[in-house]
Structure formats: structure tokens, C-alpha cells
Amino acid sequence: MFRKNDQRQQSLFGPETWLSPALLARLKTSWAQTFREEVFERIDEEIFAVLYSEEKSRPNAPVNVLVGFEIIKAGFGWSDEETYEGLSFDIRIRYALGIEDMGGELPFTLRTLSNFRKRVREHALETGENLYKQVFEQVTDEQLARYQVAAGAQRLDSTQVLSNIARMNRLTLLISVLQKGMKALAEEERKIWEEKAEAYWGRRPHEIVFRIGKGEEEAHFQRLGGLLAELREALTPGEEAYVLVDRVLREQYREGEAGWVLRPAEEISADSVQSPHDMEATYRVKNGQKYAGGYVMQVSETCASENELQLITDIQVAPNVTEDSELFKRAITEQQARGIEVEDAYTDGGYTGPELTTFCKDQKIRHHPTNVRGGKTPADRWGWDAYEWRLEAKEVVCPQGQVGRLEPTDTKDRWMVRFPDPAQCQQCPLLTMCRVKIGPRRGAAMNPTTRNIQVAILRQGITPQARSIRTVVESTVRSLTWHLRKDTLPVRGQIAATMYLHATAMMVNLRRIHAYLSSIRSIYCPVCAFLTLWGLFLAIWKPQRWSPRLSGAFFKDQK
């Protein structure tokens, strides 16, 4: 049965009874107070009501405490045990999560937390709704409104994060999948399989592989293919183990006349299974670095110059084979559903492409990339961005100032630019660098494609200001991953990764808000102190000018 946490109820044994006035004042100005006001008290617990039965039963543990616990854990990079230890003995963590009684029992156990996470994951699998993401959006939208943060201009960047899985070669992977499939069998049938696959049972996969001699791998690959095909027939179609065995068998083997034949490495797709413990984590090589079994995370944050405070507005998590342009479109579309209209987007060159250019045009978004993907022009020849493209007037101006006419051709996405004076082009000293070709029939002309023109305009729009605005988001990405060891998440699966990274993003926003509020206090507190002292001075020395209640006349009248 779902019940909201009445966080307004205060305990008789709150911090006021434990702390001196000086320590209490420090607590009220610490991150714990900001967390309590800006995160904990904003969490809408009704979002999680779908996880609980409507029938009368034992009430749930306080949801806002459970979610707040997850945010603090992710934000500090702690384990469950470390965070629970802090909740037990650290006054700041207790206060941040609304626990007034500093000496009382905790409202949940780690087992309760584990069951809560399981329900959230199962709900996400059934409905596609990640409740942690909904909490992030709900809390962030309230924070944006509270501090009047303009979200029309945003910068975006992506990074690779790895799942918490062991790195496996192909032989280790196949043995792991075989073992997991065997564990899903009924007890009697599994005993039969233990004898049939005795060489691959009873030890960890990497221990089995360690004992396989050099040159013996091919025989084991062939035998494992047959065992996996036979095991697939023994499993129930549709269950998790069947899906895993079937997928790995089809990805790693192809069926031939002599049985199942191992595919060459170059035939294995990047989105193939990297581990039986996380079927969604994929493989990617980016900038020469290999990421086996991971995800891509994209961060969107505000960057309007008028903002005194910038906040993360969106987090996207997907298998790492997903293109940046696809993540960009998801982020913009989901923010539009929340009422956030992005007008200017600052990205790096990985976000450029014909589909994204069309998307930005349709959504009326001014895209400011710091680079553009595409082939580089040789140094001895001008690129298309050397020309001025006046699309509305259908004119093109060459670097020497001659104006050409832009015309469509019969070929799709191909254009013709004709210059009126071929003689001028023929005599130009820079003709060897120009893209113009001179012929007897068409005169001086060049043939750009639609994409050539789009890329040229994008490159011409790159400014040092756009680079300086976008660069800051790299530090934001690092603030989300600084505590990860070798960029490896402490969780497995896309749902768990999404939950963890959204919790981390909420803590990053919390730190920014706390720093902003602290800066305001540092500016105004001395002023307030001065005005208070000055008021006391006037009240003592010139009471009649300060307040009639403190003047001598007032006391005389009372007599």
C-alpha cells in the first residue's frame, strides 16, 4: 500500500536539541539544507505509487528518503554500505533526508532499497518508463522555474561509460552463455547437461579458458556451437536464457552443412552481446579507443549568458553504438514535451550530419557546431566554405568577388553555379585553387551537392565564441563521471545505468545551486550585518528618529 512521507512532522529530538547555535547555523548553511529544500522536498512521491498495491497492506518505506539516498550515493560515488553508514551516523545526511530524530532507527534497510530498485527496473521493462528519469525532470523543471534559468540556449556533449561487467574474449563469452543457459534448466535436466558439458561446467569461464592450450581453441569453438544449438532446443522460447542463447548463437555462428561454423571476427556486429550479464551493452571504437560493453551518455545543460546559474536539463543513455545526432534529437524532443524550447544548440563536430541539419531546420534551432564532420579539402584547393552562399538570392560569391547564379539540376541534391564571365575566371591567378571548371558549352561553372552547401554554411558559422561556450560542457561531463573507476559504472543494464546517471546529475545540479546560494550569502551577509549594527546604533543614540516605540516620549505616555 502506497503512503506519502509526511516530512513536515518534526521530532522533539531534532538537531536543535543536539547542536549548539553555532553548529546549527553551520548545518543550516551546509549542502544538507540545500539538498533538503531543493531536492528532497521537491520529490513527487506520487510518481512511484504505481509500484505498490492499492489494497490495504503494510505501508511502504518513505519513497523520497529512498530516492534521496540514491542521489546522495551516486553524487558522492559511494557504495550502498558506505552511504547507509553515513545515514546512520552523519547528521548532515540524516538532516538532508528529512530525518529529524538524530538518534532514532532508520526508516528502511538495504534489503528494502534493493527491492525498491527491483520494482523500478521491472516497471521500466514493462512500460518503458524510468521513474528516476521522471523524478529528475520534475525536480529540474521546478528548479529552472524557481531560479528563472533560461533554457533556450543549451550545450550538449556525449561520453562513453562502461557497464560493470568483466571483459571477455569470444571463448569466455561462449562458455559464460552456455553456463547461464544451463542454470535456467530444471534440476534433473541440468544434471544431464552437467555430464554432457562437463568440460565447461564447475569452474568460472576464465579459469576454463586459462587451461585451454594454444591451438586447441578451434576445436572448442566447434563443440560449443553444437552445445549451444542443442541447449537452445531444451530451453523454453521467450524466456531470458533462451533469448540469450539464441542471440549469441546467431551472432557468433552461421549454420553450415557440417554444423555450426564460427563467424570471422570481421562479421561480428558492434551491437553483439559482450557479456551474458548485460545484453544491452555494446562495442565501439571511438578516437582509436575501444569500449567493449558500454553505453553512451549525453548531457544537455543551459548556457544562456544572462543566467547566473546553469543547470543540467537532460540526460540520455543508450548503447554506445548510438549516433550523437540521434541522442540530440531525443533530448530536444523530450524537452519540448516538458515545455522547454531550445533555440540555440552548441555542440562539437560529432553532431553534424544531413539528418540533424534537417531536424534543426524543422525545429527552428540555430545549431552552432565547433567543427563539421566530412572530408578535408587539400591545402592547394579551396573548400566549399571559401565561397559566400546567398541562398535567398540564389547567388554565390567566389573569393575573388565574382557573383554566380545558383540553379537546380535534373539530378537530385545536385546544383549548378554559373559565373557570367568565363574570361575573368580564365585570367584569375587563383584558378588552380578554385572549384570552377571552364568548358565550351556551360562556361565557368561548378557543381556542389546540397550537403556540400550545408557543410559550407555550417563551417562559415563556426566562431570562437561558439567554441568557448561549448567547451564548458566537457567539465560538466567530467563532474558526472569523476568518481567512476576507468569510466566503469557500478551497475549493469541500460535501465540501471539510466537510474544511476540521472541521480548523479541531480547531485551536480544541487552542488551548483548550493554554490550559487552561498555566493549570494557571501555578498549580502556583510551588508545585512552592517545595516543591523547601524540600526542598533540609531536605536540607542537617537531612538526618536528610529521608532516611536523606543523613544522616551513613548514610555512617558505609558506612565
Side-chain angles (χ1 to χ4, degrees):
M1 187 181 96
F2 174 75
R3 183 180 67 180
K4 292 182 65 174
N5 180 25
D6 187 8
Q7 59 200 40
R8 294 171 296 178
Q9 184 177 359
Q10 296 186 352
S11 171
L12 295 174
F13 303 99
E16 292 81 1
T17 62
W18 282 66
L19 303 175
S20 66
L23 289 177
L24 183 61
R26 288 178 61 183
L27 178 64
K28 296 289 187 179
T29 57
S30 70
W31 68 267
Q33 179 69 34
T34 309
F35 185 97
R36 181 165 179 162
E37 295 176 354
E38 296 298 334
V39 177
F40 176 74
E41 294 180 358
R42 292 190 186 280
I43 296 173
D44 183 6
E45 296 178 278
E46 294 288 348
I47 293 174
F48 295 87
V50 295
L51 304 180
Y52 300 94
S53 172
E54 296 181 358
E55 299 179 0
K56 290 186 177 181
S57 57
R58 182 179 179 181
N60 56 283
V63 170
N64 52 1
V65 177
L66 292 170
V67 177
F69 180 94
E70 294 274 58
I71 296 170
I72 291 175
K73 173 202 168 184
F76 285 101
W78 294 336
S79 65
D80 285 347
E81 291 74 16
E82 288 172 329
T83 313
Y84 199 75
E85 190 80 0
L87 182 60
S88 301
F89 302 106
D90 193 324
I91 293 177
R92 294 170 301 177
I93 298 178
R94 279 189 172 238
Y95 184 76
L97 297 180
I99 302 176
E100 290 284 343
D101 188 354
M102 297 300 162
E105 294 293 328
L106 298 182
F108 67 93
T109 64
L110 289 179
R111 185 180 182 86
T112 304
L113 179 67
S114 178
N115 291 335
F116 179 72
R117 287 176 186 155
K118 182 179 179 181
R119 290 184 178 183
V120 174
R121 288 195 298 269
E122 290 175 348
H123 177 77
L125 284 173
E126 293 173 2
T127 65
E129 296 177 345
N130 194 307
L131 301 183
Y132 276 53
K133 182 175 183 177
Q134 290 188 25
V135 169
F136 168 82
E137 293 174 351
Q138 173 251 319
V139 171
T140 301
D141 289 346
E142 292 184 13
Q143 292 170 345
L144 291 170
R146 166 68 177 83
Y147 294 100
Q148 299 180 350
V149 179
Q154 295 191 19
R155 49 192 168 218
L156 302 89
D157 197 14
S158 64
T159 190
Q160 302 288 317
V161 289
L162 298 174
S163 178
N164 188 22
I165 55 177
R167 307 296 168 251
M168 298 182 177
N169 58 28
R170 296 178 74 179
L171 196 55
T172 308
L173 172 64
L174 294 173
I175 296 173
S176 299
V177 172
L178 180 67
Q179 290 184 354
K180 189 166 184 178
M182 290 170 60
K183 291 177 182 177
L185 296 171
E187 185 176 355
E188 294 183 0
E189 192 170 7
R190 185 171 66 246
K191 290 180 179 179
I192 298 174
W193 269 89
E194 287 177 8
E195 296 180 3
K196 184 183 300 185
E198 183 180 1
Y200 308 112
W201 186 259
R203 293 188 300 273
R204 295 181 179 180
H206 70 274
E207 295 176 347
I208 298 173
V209 172
F210 181 76
R211 289 174 169 80
I212 295 176
K214 187 176 181 180
E216 300 176 3
E217 295 92 342
E218 190 64 33
H220 285 281
F221 278 129
Q222 185 175 358
R223 185 181 178 191
L224 283 166
L227 287 172
L228 287 172
E230 188 177 350
L231 178 61
R232 182 179 61 176
E233 300 302 320
L235 294 170
T236 304
E239 66 179 10
E240 182 181 354
Y242 178 91
V243 173
L244 173 63
V245 172
D246 177 67
R247 178 179 168 184
V248 171
L249 184 64
R250 288 184 288 104
E251 289 175 346
Q252 299 291 334
Y253 293 87
R254 60 170 176 261
E255 193 171 7
E257 296 180 359
W260 291 88
V261 181
L262 188 71
R263 294 179 183 272
E266 55 269 18
E267 289 188 16
I268 306 301
S269 173
D271 60 357
S272 62
V273 174
Q274 303 296 309
S275 169
H277 307 295
D278 190 345
M279 294 176 61
E280 298 164 306
T282 51
Y283 177 87
R284 185 174 183 178
V285 179
K286 185 175 183 180
N287 297 328
Q289 186 171 352
K290 299 178 180 179
Y291 298 92
Y295 300 94
V296 59
M297 173 190 68
Q298 178 187 266
V299 182
S300 307
E301 69 172 352
T302 61
C303 62
S305 57
E306 65 267 24
N307 290 340
E308 297 181 3
L309 169 67
Q310 308 291 2
L311 295 177
I312 297 173
T313 58
D314 183 82
I315 296 288
Q316 294 292 326
V317 182
N320 63 11
V321 294
T322 310
E323 288 291 330
D324 288 343
S325 57
E326 179 61 29
L327 298 175
F328 180 101
K329 290 188 286 186
R330 292 182 192 177
I332 297 299
T333 303
E334 291 180 7
Q335 289 191 67
Q336 287 175 343
R338 293 159 54 191
I340 299 175
E341 295 294 336
V342 179
E343 300 171 351
D344 292 270
Y346 297 83
T347 69
D348 59 20
Y351 286 86
T352 55
E355 292 184 3
L356 190 59
T357 300
T358 303
F359 177 81
C360 289
K361 183 179 179 180
D362 294 341
Q363 300 298 323
K364 298 180 180 180
I365 297 173
R366 293 182 290 271
H367 188 197
H368 308 276
T370 58
N371 204 344
V372 181
R373 287 193 299 184
K376 294 184 179 180
T377 305
D380 59 348
R381 194 178 185 192
W382 286 332
W384 294 106
D385 54 317
Y387 302 84
E388 181 183 351
W389 301 87
R390 302 173 181 174
L391 299 184
E392 294 184 0
K394 295 184 178 180
E395 294 178 345
V396 180
V397 184
C398 80
Q400 290 297 94
Q402 187 173 186
V403 180
R405 186 69 180 171
L406 181 64
E407 303 171 352
T409 67
D410 295 336
T411 305
K412 184 181 179 181
D413 293 331
R414 177 71 68 173
W415 299 80
M416 175 76 75
V417 179
R418 296 182 186 273
F419 291 94
D421 190 355
Q424 182 180 347
C425 292
Q426 189 72 48
Q427 297 172 4
C428 180
L430 301 176
L431 180 60
T432 56
M433 297 185 65
C434 189
R435 289 185 173 271
V436 168
K437 294 181 180 180
I438 302 175
R441 295 182 57 184
R442 66 177 191 173
M446 56 185 186
N447 293 93
T449 64
T450 300
R451 186 58 189 162
N452 291 149
I453 299 172
Q454 291 174 344
V455 170
I457 294 173
L458 283 173
R459 283 185 172 148
Q460 290 169 350
I462 296 174
T463 62
Q465 180 185 10
R467 284 193 174 98
S468 63
I469 292 174
R470 193 214 70 86
T471 302
V472 182
V473 75
E474 294 180 1
S475 63
T476 301
V477 170
R478 192 58 192 158
S479 68
L480 289 162
T481 60
W482 64 269
H483 57 278
L484 301 182
R485 184 179 180 184
K486 297 182 179 180
D487 294 327
T488 301
L489 297 168
V491 295
R492 299 171 181 170
Q494 185 174 340
I495 294 174
T498 301
M499 293 166 59
Y500 183 85
L501 291 171
H502 276 88
T504 307
M506 292 179 70
M507 197 64 179
V508 172
N509 280 348
L510 181 277
R511 289 192 176 103
R512 293 182 177 184
I513 293 173
H514 180 65
Y516 171 71
L517 296 176
S518 298
S519 67
I520 293 177
R521 284 193 292 264
S522 66
I523 294 173
Y524 289 103
C525 284
V527 177
C528 295
F530 172 77
L531 293 176
T532 301
L533 293 173
W534 181 250
L536 290 173
F537 173 78
L538 292 178
I540 295 172
W541 293 102
K542 297 182 178 181
Q544 67 279 7
R545 294 185 182 180
W546 178 250
S547 173
R549 287 183 174 273
L550 298 178
S551 65
F554 174 80
F555 291 104
K556 285 183 179 179
D557 293 342
Q558 296 303 311
K559 292 179 180 179

